[in-house]
């Protein structure tokens, strides 16, 4: 059965919005700009932090309860059968879409470095961005984790903690705004589908879509000599081709990440993918606002609530498990394996005695 437009508006993923929260908190804790600190700010920040943790814990508890309500009647045999019935081609496509999404995230990271005047290679940016997003998407650490992680890795390239946090801030904001632009463009391209879903006037979807797509102009205005200081004004302007590339990879990230889940959902119809994509972005923003790291539990609760529309509970649960493994845990496991291999090689090289040399300096 095809996903209805109104039902698709409930589908979510929160892996991307952690980037903006991570970056913001990272700048606050890195000491990048002392002017942000005002009298009483530390006490206020502590109270806000405690309130956020309490709200996050409450939302997580409710989400766990909702998940349990959905899966309590599910049989283990049915769940395992749904896993086994998932087509291999769907899993492979999900892996491919995940790789493409992380490549786009790496592109956003590299262009953020370029905009801030750090001439690092794309390969180096990817070597930092992929594990950073893998950690923040999977581990559920504090909001500052992503920025602190980047600050540590970029320190090897001569960047200070504040500069690393600034890169995290710019890249995270680019990811968030590109999600809004993605949703806006989809609403502009398929206004009829959204009009039916929202049951509003025909002019409402194009108007909302245009408003959401408006931040796209920032890719061609921020970090230019004419831009205000809070938009990076006064810096050397990037070429228009790089700016267009930055917007393209931002849109591509959301396209591929949503496709990585969509392809695993049973009964999904390609005709409703544009609506699903907009719902994916909207759900990500709403779920990130709850403060639950990675949307763990919240994501599953909402998607399971959607399951009655297009699939049985055990089928959707199987798709969710595969998606978490492919998009979140997969990159984290690969990065962890790379770190272990590099650590083992480094320790092995230290234990290997240097080759003997004669007095002439030759072996």
């Amino acid at each position: 059965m095809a996903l209805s437009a109104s039902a698709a508006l409930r589908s979510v993923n929160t892996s991307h919005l952690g980037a903006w929260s991570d970056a913001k908190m990272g700048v606050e804790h890195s000491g990048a700009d002392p002017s942000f600190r005002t009298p009483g700010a530390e006490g206020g920040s502590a109270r806000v932090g405690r309130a956020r943790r309490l709200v996050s814990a409450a939302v997580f508890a409710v989400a766990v309860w909702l998940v349990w309500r959905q899966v309590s009647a599910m049989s283990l045999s049915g769940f395992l059968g749904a896993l086994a019935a998932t087509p291999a081609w769907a899993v492979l496509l999900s892996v491919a879409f995940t790789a493409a999404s992380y490549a786009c995230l790496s592109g956003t990271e590299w262009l953020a470095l370029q905009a801030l005047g750090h001439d690092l290679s794309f390969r180096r940016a990817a070597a930092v961005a992929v594990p950073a997003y893998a950690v923040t998407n999977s581990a559920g650490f504090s909001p500052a984790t992503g920025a602190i992680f980047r600050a540590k890795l970029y320190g090897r390239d001569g960047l200070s903690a504040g500069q690393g946090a600034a890169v995290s801030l710019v890249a995270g904001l680019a990811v968030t705004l590109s999600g809004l632009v993605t949703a806006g463009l989809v609403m502009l391209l398929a206004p009829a589908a959204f009009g039916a879903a929202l049951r509003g006037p025909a002019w409402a979807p194009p108007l909302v879509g245009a408003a959401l797509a408006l931040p796209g102009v920032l890719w061609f205005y921020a970090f230019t000599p004419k831009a205000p200081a809070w938009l990076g004004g006064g810096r050397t302007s990037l070429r228009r081709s790089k700016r267009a590339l930055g917007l393209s990879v931002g849109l591509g990230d959301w396209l591929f990440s949503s496709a990585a889940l969509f392809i695993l959902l049973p009964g999904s119809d390609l005709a409703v993918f544009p609506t699903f994509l907009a719902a994916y972005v909207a759900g990500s923003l709403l779920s990130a606002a709850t403060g639950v790291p990675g949307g763990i539990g919240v994501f599953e609760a909402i998607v399971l609530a959607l399951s009655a529309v297009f699939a049985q509970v055990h089928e959707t649960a199987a798709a969710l498990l595969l998606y978490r493994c492919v998009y979140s845990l997969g990159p984290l496991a690969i990065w962890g394996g790379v770190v272990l291999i590099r650590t083992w090689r480094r320790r092995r090289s230290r234990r290997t005695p240097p080759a003997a040399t004669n007095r002439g300096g030759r072996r």
Side-chain angles (χ1 to χ4, degrees), residues 13 15-16 93-94 96-102 104-105 175 178-183 185-186 189 247-263 270 272-278 280-281 284 323 327:
N13 175 38
S15 59
H16 292 77
L93 277 178
S94 183
F97 291 145
T98 296
S101 173
Y102 275 84
C104 289
L105 288 171
V175 170
S178 62
L180 294 176
V181 176
T182 301
L185 292 177
V186 170
L189 293 174
L247 181 58
S248 298
V249 296
L251 300 178
D253 165 43
W254 288 94
L255 174 67
F256 290 125
S257 60
S258 62
L261 171 60
F262 187 78
I263 199 66
L270 188 60
V272 300
F273 178 69
T275 308
F276 178 87
L277 175 57
Y280 181 93
V281 175
S284 296
Y323 175 73
Y327 193 86

Side-chain angles (χ1 to χ4, degrees), residues 16-361:
H16 292 77
L17 270 296
W20 163 240
S21 178
D22 291 340
K24 181 178 182 296
M25 292 299 294
V27 168
E28 291 174 355
H29 292 284
S30 66
D33 190 349
S35 64
F36 289 145
R37 300 177 182 177
T38 57
E42 293 184 0
S45 298
R47 289 191 294 271
V48 171
R50 285 194 295 269
R52 288 187 60 181
R53 287 192 291 271
L54 288 174
V55 172
S56 298
V59 171
F60 178 72
V62 172
V64 170
W65 177 73
L66 291 174
V67 170
W68 174 249
R69 284 193 59 187
Q70 293 287 340
V71 304
S72 58
M74 181 183 70
S75 65
L76 179 60
S77 60
F79 173 74
L80 295 177
L83 279 177
T86 303
W89 61 264
V91 177
L92 291 175
L93 277 178
S94 183
V95 171
F97 291 145
T98 296
S101 173
Y102 275 84
C104 289
L105 288 171
S106 300
T108 299
E109 187 91 3
W110 177 67
L111 289 166
L113 286 164
Q114 297 287 309
L116 292 170
H118 307 302
D119 191 19
L120 300 182
S121 66
F122 173 82
R123 182 177 179 180
R124 179 55 185 159
V128 174
V130 171
Y133 283 109
V135 169
T136 55
N137 291 350
S138 307
F141 296 150
S142 67
T145 302
I148 295 174
F149 190 89
R150 284 176 171 85
K152 181 177 180 179
L153 292 184
Y154 282 132
R156 303 171 186 174
D157 301 293
L159 275 66
S160 66
Q163 290 173 326
V167 173
S168 184
L169 175 65
V170 173
L173 183 57
V175 170
T176 302
L177 291 179
S178 62
L180 294 176
V181 176
T182 301
L185 292 177
V186 170
M187 294 185 75
L188 287 173
L189 293 174
F194 289 94
L198 301 175
R199 297 181 181 180
W203 52 264
L207 182 62
V208 174
L212 292 176
L214 188 61
V217 302
L218 291 176
W219 269 261
F220 301 94
Y221 179 63
F223 296 98
T224 62
K226 296 182 180 180
W230 62 276
L231 281 177
R235 296 178 181 271
T236 302
S237 179
L238 295 174
R239 296 196 304 270
R240 294 183 66 88
S241 59
K242 283 189 175 182
R243 294 174 178 272
L245 176 63
L247 181 58
S248 298
V249 296
L251 300 178
D253 165 43
W254 288 94
L255 174 67
F256 290 125
S257 60
S258 62
L261 171 60
F262 187 78
I263 199 66
L264 295 172
L265 294 174
S268 56
D269 188 345
L270 188 60
V272 300
F273 178 69
T275 308
F276 178 87
L277 175 57
Y280 181 93
V281 175
S284 296
L285 290 167
L286 295 175
S287 297
T290 66
V292 177
I296 298 174
V298 178
F299 176 57
E300 284 76 9
I302 297 178
V303 175
L304 283 169
L306 180 63
S307 64
V309 178
F310 61 92
Q312 299 183 34
V313 174
H314 62 274
E315 294 175 328
T316 307
L320 284 168
L321 177 61
L322 289 172
Y323 175 73
R324 283 291 189 184
C325 291
V326 170
Y327 193 86
S328 298
L329 298 180
L332 183 63
I334 293 173
W335 173 72
V338 171
V339 171
L340 287 176
I341 291 174
R342 288 180 176 176
T343 302
W344 175 76
R345 288 181 175 177
R346 190 180 302 114
R347 291 181 178 177
R348 185 181 180 184
S349 64
R350 289 175 181 174
R351 290 196 299 264
T352 303
T357 58
N358 59 23
R359 287 177 294 180

